[in-house]
């Protein structure tokens, strides 16, 4: 995909003034030049042109708010004067994987007073004797070269400007909150378990009551059966009482 078409796709129906970050990595530049980027991108702060086949940055527009420019893995070998003229507030510049051979080709970067970080990985210039000392001497405004400062201390994520103490405090605070939260959870779980045990005890009592009630009712039923048997005994007695009368009748018949 060519660079102009990629720019139009990245806009996504926005106007150039609304764009703060523009990433065009791996597209194709026509004749090794920048295309489709104009001064209308007045609020652009980050521009990434990694591996787009650039041989020159002569057509880069004036972008006063641009802070970070990614130009790694291209074929640029010079012509950096234009950067100093049109990107006056640039703070981060990545030229890794380009064709810079001599330190003198980097001299125009002296005119970028805000430049703090410069990357030249995989450029032939890095093979020169006293390379790091020479670059820091040439560009005294630099804080980091290839990710390390002049004392070989690695750059932090915030370029060494972050306050690590505050981060530690925040982490400790978060850890403390998490511990408190875990303790509260444990207490809640204990309360729930206690309530469940109480409920189990109550349900057991109810079940025992129901069982006892069933047993009692069975006892009552048995007593009722006994009563029925006792009530039926008089009938037998009556039958026994009627027997003598029948005997008398038989005697009378004999007398007759």
């Amino acid at each position: 995909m060519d660079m102009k078409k990629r720019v139009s796709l990245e806009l996504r129906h926005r106007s150039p003034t609304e764009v703060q970050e523009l990433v065009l990595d791996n597209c194709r530049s026509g004749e090794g030049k920048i295309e489709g980027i104009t001064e209308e991108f007045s609020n652009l702060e980050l521009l990434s042109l990694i591996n787009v086949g650039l041989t020159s940055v002569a057509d880069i527009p004036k972008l006063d708010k641009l802070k970070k420019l990614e130009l790694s893995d291209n074929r640029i070998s010079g012509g950096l004067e234009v950067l100093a003229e049109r990107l006056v507030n640039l703070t981060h510049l990545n030229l890794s994987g380009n064709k810079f051979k001599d330190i003198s080709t980097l001299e125009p970067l002296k005119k970028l007073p805000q430049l703090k970080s410069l990357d030249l990985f995989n450029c032939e210039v890095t093979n020169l004797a006293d390379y790091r000392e020479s670059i820091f001497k040439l560009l005294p405004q630099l804080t980091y070269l290839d990710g390390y400062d002049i004392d070989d201390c690695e750059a932090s994520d915030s370029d060494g400007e972050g306050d690590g103490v505050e981060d530690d405090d925040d982490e400790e605070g978060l850890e403390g909150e998490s511990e408190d939260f875990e303790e509260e959870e444990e207490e809640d779980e204990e309360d729930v378990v206690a309530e469940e045990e109480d409920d189990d005890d109550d349900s057991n009592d109810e079940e025992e009551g129901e069982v006892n009630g069933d047993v009692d009712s069975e006892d009552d039923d048995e007593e009722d059966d006994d009563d029925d048997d006792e009530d039926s005994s008089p009938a037998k007695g009556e039958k026994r009482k009627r027997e003598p009368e029948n005997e008398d009748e038989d005697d009378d018949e004999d007398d007759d």
Side-chain angles (χ1 to χ4, degrees):
M1 182 183 296
D2 63 66
M3 190 176 293
K4 286 183 179 180
K5 186 175 181 180
R6 179 69 176 274
V7 170
S8 63
L9 288 175
E10 291 293 332
L11 282 174
R12 299 187 183 93
H13 306 294
R14 297 175 294 173
S15 67
T17 55
E18 296 178 87
V19 180
Q20 292 184 319
E21 297 185 0
L22 186 60
V23 179
L24 306 174
D25 300 347
N26 303 312
C27 66
R28 291 294 94 189
S29 61
E31 300 180 355
K33 298 179 181 179
I34 295 174
E35 300 175 308
I37 304 173
T38 67
E39 293 184 5
E40 292 180 354
F41 289 87
S42 55
N43 292 311
L44 198 63
E45 295 183 3
L46 182 150
L47 175 60
S48 186
L49 297 168
I50 298 173
N51 189 33
V52 297
L54 288 180
T55 58
S56 171
V57 291
D59 293 325
I60 196 166
K62 184 176 177 60
L63 301 170
D64 290 338
K65 293 188 178 181
L66 192 71
K67 295 181 179 180
K68 296 184 179 182
L69 179 60
E70 295 280 347
L71 295 172
S72 60
D73 299 327
N74 286 290
R75 300 193 302 273
I76 305 167
S77 59
L80 299 181
E81 294 84 2
V82 67
L83 301 183
E85 295 171 3
R86 301 176 187 176
L87 309 177
V88 294
N89 289 308
L90 196 66
T91 61
H92 294 70
L93 177 60
N94 192 340
L95 295 172
S96 301
N98 280 280
K99 304 297 182 180
F100 296 99
K101 297 179 180 180
D102 302 319
I103 290 179
S104 60
T105 57
L106 302 169
E107 191 169 351
L109 301 180
K110 291 168 60 175
K111 297 180 180 180
L112 288 171
Q114 306 299 324
L115 190 64
K116 296 180 180 179
S117 177
L118 175 65
D119 289 313
L120 293 166
F121 288 113
N122 298 323
C123 293
E124 289 186 37
V125 69
T126 61
N127 296 324
L128 297 175
D130 301 326
Y131 152 71
R132 288 180 57 80
E133 292 80 357
S134 299
I135 295 295
F136 276 116
K137 184 177 181 180
L138 177 68
L139 306 173
Q141 76 272 35
L142 275 187
T143 303
Y144 299 103
L145 175 62
D146 301 332
Y148 290 84
D149 64 15
I150 196 169
D151 296 321
D152 286 333
C153 294
E154 188 173 4
S156 64
D157 292 338
S158 57
D159 295 335
E161 295 176 0
D163 189 348
V165 175
E166 291 183 0
D167 294 339
D168 293 340
D169 292 342
D170 292 340
E171 291 178 359
E172 290 177 359
L174 292 173
E175 290 177 358
E177 291 179 1
S178 63
E179 290 177 358
D180 294 339
F181 183 70
E182 290 176 358
E183 291 178 358
E184 292 177 358
E185 281 189 340
E186 291 178 357
E187 292 177 357
D188 293 338
E189 289 178 358
E190 291 177 357
D191 294 339
V192 170
V193 171
E195 291 178 0
E196 290 178 351
E197 291 178 353
D198 293 339
D199 293 339
D200 292 340
D201 293 340
D202 294 339
S203 62
N204 290 335
D205 293 341
E206 292 177 358
E207 291 176 357
E208 290 177 359
E210 291 176 357
V211 172
N212 292 333
D214 293 339
V215 173
D216 294 340
S217 63
E218 291 177 358
D219 294 340
D220 294 339
D221 292 339
E222 292 177 356
E223 292 177 359
D224 292 340
D225 292 340
D226 294 340
D227 292 341
D228 292 339
D229 294 341
E230 292 177 357
D231 292 339
S232 62
S233 60
K236 294 178 180 179
E238 290 177 358
K239 187 175 181 180
R240 286 196 296 270
K241 288 180 182 178
R242 282 197 295 268
E243 289 176 354
E245 293 178 359
N246 293 332
E247 291 177 355
D248 294 338
E249 290 178 357
D250 294 338
D251 293 338
D252 294 335
E253 290 177 356
D254 295 335
D255 293 338
D256 293 337

